[in-house]
Amino acid sequence: MNPNTAEIVAKLWKECKTLQSAGVSYSNYVNELTYLLFLKMLEETGQENRLPNGHCWSKLAKMEGGDQLEYYKSMLLELGNPKKTKDPVTLAIFTDAMTHLRLPKDLKTLTTNIDKLDWFTAREDGLGDLYEGLLEKTTSATKSKAGQYFTPRALIDSIIRLIKPKPGEVIQDPAAGTGGFLIAADHYIKDETDDLFKLSDAEGHFQRHQAFVGHEWVPDTHRLCVMNMLLHGIENIVGCEDSCAPQGEHLGRADVILTNPPFNKMSGNVNRPDFTLTAGERVGPMPFLEHAIRSLKLHGRCAIVMPDNILFGDGVGTELRRFLMANCNLHTILRLPTGIFYAQGVKTNVMFFSRETKKIMPADHKKQATKEVWFYDLRANMPSFGKTNALTDKHFEEFEKLFGDDPLGASDREEQGEDGRWRKLTREQIAERGDNLDWTWLRDESGDPEDDMTDPDEIAAAIMGHLRAALDEIEALSEELEDAPEPEAAE
């Protein structure tokens, strides 16, 4: 992050500490800043015509006391009302918006401090970087309570370098979060096209308005996603929808799918009419994997973060893996270190695959799209990651070199042997393992990474992660017992 941008982020974040005593949480504070920064940004960029009924930043900022707070509350209601606000981006930002500020002095402090910022420098350095800095502060501050798992930037950037998104491709994230994957793909394409100047006007319009699609079901997170993408020059609005519901079909087919779906099973069951394997299952990682398989175009490529149990689970899990390998070339699995997500103890992987069938084939189809799967173990004998030891691009250097330049996984590859991190299994060998993809061969002598934790937030996050995992196991066992046939009564 540019030093000037970092300074602005620090100034804005300083107010959060003050407002905590007034009952404003970290996440509520970032929502509050989203509303105010959006209004200020429209003034700075001459786009206040997006706002209805003469609403504008200057009118809000010059007001005082209770009048300012009352006007702010009424303005939020109007901007989120589809009968009064027609601009789709403004409506997406302010739908169900409400302020958590209760004291007029707190609102005045925020509007005054936002007005004092060096907006010329902020625009030059990139408003998107400023906003991402605030999001990073929030996720770091609330990680012990986070229901979602935020993907580390180093991992996102590594995946983007391997998948190589191109101009003209439809890039989708069905569980978009704050938009990290879509924004990183946009950065990559802009770097390759001189900030889109190498493209025609029509191609540039496609990139800004149609290339990036997705859903984010949590309303507050969706709001942050829309704002984040807008500040990075992407005007296509991610929907506030559940991709495991019928609306998920509306996302359409994609050239590239990049996603880190929720690891925990969510409330509600999958009711997608096009799903066959995970229909009726609890919303969680498995239905998102089925979505990715079905939604890829022919030779489309996917990188999806999945918890370990997707690699070895029985029943639907086994059928889903067979379904994946029948329709897609699952060419690479990256075993990630523990502790890189905000729920410590969660063990995850990135599955890289490409769609190889024109129409969906059943799991037992004789012709398998997957011939062999390469594994890179970045988990065994790795240090503990956290505040004092961040995951960086350097940790992925060897993996990226071994993966090769072909985003479809077709580069020449050579095994490292039993002592190396890079090995493969043929489709026949996987079948002999009962289609279990949870393969380890290195002896891990690093011990439990959680033993080295000293930060209270990281310890709390680890405890929460283990409790959630235990609850998932209990729920799974309960569901199995409910589904088990009752014994016949003796005559």
Side-chain angles (χ1 to χ4, degrees):
M1 185 187 299
N2 186 291
N4 294 322
T5 302
E7 184 179 350
I8 294 174
V9 169
K11 287 179 180 177
L12 289 173
W13 195 250
K14 184 179 178 182
E15 295 304 323
C16 184
K17 301 292 184 181
T18 305
L19 290 175
Q20 271 191 290
S21 60
V24 180
S25 68
Y26 290 116
S27 56
N28 288 338
Y29 177 66
V30 171
N31 267 317
E32 215 75 59
L33 280 179
T34 299
Y35 309 143
L36 295 172
L37 289 174
F38 181 77
L39 296 172
K40 179 62 175 175
M41 180 201 70
L42 292 186
E43 180 190 63
E44 292 290 325
T45 56
Q47 299 181 66
E48 288 186 302
N49 60 329
R50 288 177 180 254
L51 304 176
N53 299 332
H55 291 304
C56 62
W57 170 262
S58 60
K59 184 176 179 180
L60 172 68
K62 71 181 181 182
M63 297 179 80
E64 301 283 345
D67 290 341
Q68 186 188 43
L69 186 56
E70 287 305 311
Y71 174 67
Y72 181 51
K73 289 178 179 178
S74 65
M75 181 170 61
L76 292 182
L77 288 174
E78 280 201 35
L79 297 181
N81 185 342
K83 293 181 179 179
K84 297 183 177 182
T85 299
K86 301 305 178 185
D87 178 64
V89 176
T90 302
L91 197 59
I93 295 289
F94 291 98
T95 295
D96 297 326
M98 60 178 290
T99 181
H100 288 82
L101 300 174
R102 290 179 287 183
L103 301 176
K105 69 178 182 65
D106 292 332
L107 177 58
K108 191 62 184 179
T109 297
L110 284 179
T111 55
T112 300
N113 287 342
I114 287 173
D115 256 341
K116 287 180 179 177
L117 296 177
D118 182 355
W119 280 91
F120 176 80
T121 300
R123 288 200 308 274
E124 289 294 304
D125 293 344
L127 292 171
D129 286 347
L130 184 156
Y131 193 70
E132 278 196 292
L134 290 170
L135 294 179
E136 185 179 350
K137 289 278 190 183
T138 312
T139 55
S140 177
T142 61
K143 67 180 182 179
S144 62
K145 305 176 185 66
Q148 297 106 339
Y149 305 120
F150 295 87
T151 315
R153 186 55 186 265
L155 174 58
I156 290 177
D157 288 343
S158 178
I159 288 172
I160 295 296
R161 288 191 292 269
L162 296 173
I163 290 292
K164 293 181 171 58
K166 296 182 292 190
E169 292 187 319
V170 174
I171 300 167
Q172 181 194 118
D173 186 345
T178 56
F181 274 115
L182 299 178
I183 290 166
D186 177 61
H187 275 313
Y188 182 89
I189 291 171
K190 284 176 177 173
D191 286 345
E192 295 290 311
T193 60
D194 189 22
D195 205 23
L196 306 184
F197 283 109
K198 292 181 180 179
L199 305 180
S200 68
D201 289 345
E203 290 169 334
H205 184 273
F206 175 84
Q207 290 305 128
R208 296 184 187 94
H209 297 272
Q210 296 170 269
F212 302 99
V213 298
H215 283 161
E216 172 48 49
W217 178 228
V218 180
D220 280 347
T221 309
H222 173 256
R223 191 191 327 278
L224 304 183
C225 181
V226 172
M227 182 70 166
N228 201 12
M229 292 176 67
L230 177 66
L231 292 177
H232 283 89
I234 306 171
E235 295 231 9
N236 199 32
I237 301 175
V238 164
C240 189
E241 305 282 2
D242 178 5
S243 293
C244 295
Q247 297 90 328
E249 284 191 83
H250 300 163
L251 284 173
R253 304 288 291 279
D255 299 284
V256 175
I257 295 178
L258 306 164
T259 191
N260 176 14
F263 299 157
N264 293 334
K265 289 185 176 180
M266 313 296 283
S267 59
N269 292 341
V270 175
N271 62 344
R272 281 271 295 267
D274 60 326
F275 280 13
T276 55
L277 283 84
T278 62
E281 292 286 316
R282 288 276 298 280
V283 175
M286 286 199 299
F288 281 95
L289 181 55
E290 181 168 0
H291 168 89
I293 297 166
R294 293 183 179 277
S295 299
L296 279 178
K297 296 179 181 179
L298 182 64
H299 304 313
R301 51 210 189 279
C302 175
I304 182 170
V305 181
M306 287 276 114
D308 269 17
N309 59 357
I310 299 300
L311 301 184
F312 63 79
D314 294 330
V316 175
T318 301
E319 284 303 298
L320 187 59
R321 293 191 298 276
R322 290 171 179 163
F323 181 69
L324 166 62
M325 290 184 284
N327 289 281
C328 300
N329 177 21
L330 173 63
H331 53 81
T332 311
I333 294 177
L334 169 63
R335 297 181 66 86
L336 293 170
T338 57
I340 65 172
F341 291 98
Y342 291 109
Q344 293 280 350
V346 175
K347 295 181 178 180
T348 56
N349 313 267
V350 184
M351 303 175 77
F352 295 86
F353 55 86
S354 60
R355 173 77 178 269
E356 299 300 325
T357 54
K358 289 184 179 180
K359 64 177 184 178
I360 288 293
M361 297 297 178
D364 60 355
H365 185 58
K366 287 185 178 180
K367 186 176 180 182
Q368 295 288 295
T370 297
K371 305 303 180 187
E372 58 188 27
V373 181
W374 288 80
F375 295 78
Y376 187 85
D377 190 340
L378 194 59
R379 184 181 305 169
N381 302 310
M382 293 296 289
S384 176
F385 290 97
K387 285 184 179 179
T388 57
N389 184 33
L391 190 72
T392 67
D393 290 348
K394 190 172 181 63
H395 291 107
F396 295 98
E397 283 182 355
E398 185 186 45
F399 170 63
E400 291 179 27
K401 183 178 179 181
L402 294 167
F403 185 101
D405 291 332
D406 191 329
L408 297 173
S411 298
D412 290 337
R413 295 174 169 185
E414 187 174 342
E415 277 208 62
Q416 291 183 334
E418 293 183 0
D419 296 328
R421 295 186 180 273
W422 183 240
R423 298 189 68 190
K424 73 173 180 181
L425 288 175
T426 65
R427 182 65 186 89
E428 291 74 20
Q429 288 172 318
I430 293 169
E432 290 170 3
R433 294 168 48 85
D435 295 308
N436 184 328
L437 293 169
D438 187 32
W439 186 40
T440 58
W441 62 92
L442 290 174
R443 181 178 178 182
D444 192 350
E445 299 176 347
S446 59
D448 190 338
E450 294 179 11
D451 292 341
D452 299 327
M453 290 181 187
T454 56
D455 182 79
D457 280 348
E458 290 179 352
I459 294 171
I463 293 171
M464 291 293 289
H466 288 303
L467 286 174
R468 289 191 185 102
L471 285 172
D472 280 347
E473 292 294 328
I474 293 170
E475 287 180 3
L477 178 59
S478 176
E479 289 170 3
E480 287 180 15
L481 292 175
E482 288 176 3
D483 295 338
E486 294 184 9
E488 295 182 5
E491 294 184 4

